[in-house]
């Protein structure tokens, strides 16, 4: 009986969605998203009783998993307190969230500007580096995603930008390191690092160093391939910036808050950006929140003159209260360290081992709980698996009870940071079976 009710709800939600919801980044005609009914920890389920072990973290943001009681309680309490406070006032959750976030960074990065997500945060980071330096150019990497609004789209270095062009003037793209698909014909991580840095030096010189306000990078590239930079690369970028008075922006929207086994992924390499952009994992996305952490020197630009930017919902009570709870839970439960260990001891070794047994796996790479398995038809040419075969692989994963994120020819295995060792192993085993099923059908 309950199943019948579930079926009715599922049908109705699908019908209304198809008729009335205009969906992000999708061809609207063909979509039929699965209506979700609930979740707990690293699991979510639909109205028909199908349960999935989560390897997508929704959009790589539910770092504390689903329905964490401390987070939902924080939302309830904030709603019962004062549910809306404008930026011109302040309130406890905003002040506490800013203090906690600033506390995760070195001294000197003490100010937080809150937004409602990652793209707005990048828009403001852009405005801040331009305002502080008085320069207008910004360099950003190909194979990057920085968000869906005008400035962030211009920064983005992949085809999703094309639909938003012509974009904002002054943004110039360069190639970052990616050994598996090297633009520099490199054979080793060291070669890739050195050649990528040399390329960046040339790009800076060619654009005019005194015209460049900032360089923006995803510390670990997320959607465009889970690309972990070779050791020393970020330090090299920092050096180039320092040489020319260019500000370094670390986009930590996806890589931050435990995802890469650090509070912020760049911390693994010991570098200090001038601005850090965050969103997603800051409060596991339970209420929309993002922001920019900026150095005191940059913030001081607007000590005497007003900052020309703002949002009605900057520092929203519900969002900030959830961030306070999320950061406290992560610190008290050792979630960041847990994510680092699960990656190093379970997910990474498990996926790499699976890669040795499946002919279609060209590369396995990642860190913390951010991994990609790249599928190719030929290990030498690295020709990507076609879209229909990747679709089949995703369906096979779902049939095996896991829900990864499929991007292009890659399976991104990006579970919540709180996934247990046992669940991580279950996920690897499920992907193993899914790969075998697709291979059986295609060989
Ligand atoms: N920056 C990075 C690295 C991201 O991965 C994303 C989203 O996936 C964004 C920015 C944009 O964030 P939002 O979707 O919250 O605007």
């Amino acid at each position: 009986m309950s199943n019948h009710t579930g079926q009715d709800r599922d049908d109705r939600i699908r019908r209304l969605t198809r008729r009335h919801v205009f969906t992000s980044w999708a061809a609207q005609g063909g979509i039929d998203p699965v209506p979700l009914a609930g979740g707990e920890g690293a699991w979510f389920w639909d109205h028909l009783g199908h349960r999935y072990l989560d390897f997508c973290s929704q959009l790589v943001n539910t770092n504390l998993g689903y329905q964490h009681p401390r987070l939902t309680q924080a939302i309830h309490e904030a709603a019962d307190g004062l549910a809306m406070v404008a930026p011109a006032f302040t309130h406890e959750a905003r002040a506490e969230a800013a203090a906690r976030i600033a506390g995760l960074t070195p001294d000197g990065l003490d100010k937080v500007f809150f937004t409602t997500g990652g793209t707005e945060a990048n828009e403001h980071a852009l405005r801040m580096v331009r305002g502080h330096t008085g320069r207008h150019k910004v360099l950003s990497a190909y194979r990057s995603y920085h968000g869906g609004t005008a400035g962030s789209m211009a920064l983005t270095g992949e085809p999703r930008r094309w639909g938003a062009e012509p974009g904002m003037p002054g943004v110039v793209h360069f190639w970052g390191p990616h050994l598996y698909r090297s633009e520099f014909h490199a054979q080793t991580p060291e070669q890739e690092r050195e050649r990528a840095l040399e390329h960046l030096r040339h790009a800076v010189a060619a654009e005019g160093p005194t015209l460049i306000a900032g360089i923006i990078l995803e510390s670990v590239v997320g959607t465009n391939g889970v690309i972990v930079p070779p050791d020393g690369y970020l330090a090299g970028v920092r050096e180039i910036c320092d040489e020319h008075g260019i500000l370094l922006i670390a986009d930590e929207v996806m890589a931050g808050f435990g995802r890469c086994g650090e509070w912020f992924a760049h911390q693994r390499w010991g570098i200090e950006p001038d601005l850090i952009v965050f969103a997603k994992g800051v409060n596991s996305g339970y209420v929309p929140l993002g922001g920019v952490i900026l150095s005191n020197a940059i913030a001081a630009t607007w000590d005497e003159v007003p900052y020309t930017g703002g949002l009605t919902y900057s520092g929203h009570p519900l969002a900030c209260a959830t961030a306070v709870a999320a950061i406290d839970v992560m610190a008290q439960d050792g979630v960041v360290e847990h994510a680092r260990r699960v990656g190093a001891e379970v997910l990474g070794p498990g996926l790499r081992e699976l890669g040795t047994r499946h002919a279609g796996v060209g590369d396995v790479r990642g860190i913390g709980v951010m991994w990609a398995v790249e599928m190719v038809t030929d290990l030498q040419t690295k020709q990507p698996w076609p879209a229909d075969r990747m679709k089949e692989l995703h369906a096979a994963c779902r049939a095996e009870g896991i829900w990864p994120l499929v991007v292009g020819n890659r399976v991104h295995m990006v579970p919540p940071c709180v996934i247990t060792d046992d669940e991580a192993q279950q996920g690897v085993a499920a992907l193993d079976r899914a790969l075998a099923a697709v291979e059986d059908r295609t060989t």
Side-chain angles (χ1 to χ4, degrees), residues 359-370:
V361 175
D363 196 29
V364 174
R365 52 182 182 264
I367 191 172
V369 286
M370 184 144 103

Side-chain angles (χ1 to χ4, degrees), residues 91-150:
H91 61 95
E92 192 171 22
R94 185 185 299 159
E96 293 290 346
R100 276 172 179 69
I101 292 165
L104 303 174
T105 67
D107 283 349
L109 280 158
D110 293 331
K111 295 265 188 174
V112 180
F113 178 75
F114 286 113
T115 66
T116 62
T119 192
E120 280 173 352
N122 276 323
E123 297 287 344
H124 286 278
L126 258 175
R127 200 169 305 168
M128 287 166 181
V129 297
R130 287 174 161 174
H132 178 73
T133 61
R135 305 172 178 183
H136 71 284
K137 291 197 189 183
V138 177
L139 268 52
S140 81
Y142 288 114
R143 305 189 194 103
S144 70
Y145 179 72
H146 293 292
T149 52

Side-chain angles (χ1 to χ4, degrees), residues 291-339:
V292 186
I293 311 167
L294 60 157
S295 73
N296 298 350
I298 298 171
T301 310
W302 294 280
D303 273 351
E304 306 301 331
V305 294
Y307 175 62
T308 49
L311 306 104
T312 300
Y313 303 127
S314 177
H316 193 280
L318 269 61
C320 288
T322 323
V324 170
I327 293 167
D328 287 352
V329 167
M330 288 183 119
Q332 284 156 15
D333 295 356
V335 171
V336 174
E337 297 75 15
H338 174 77

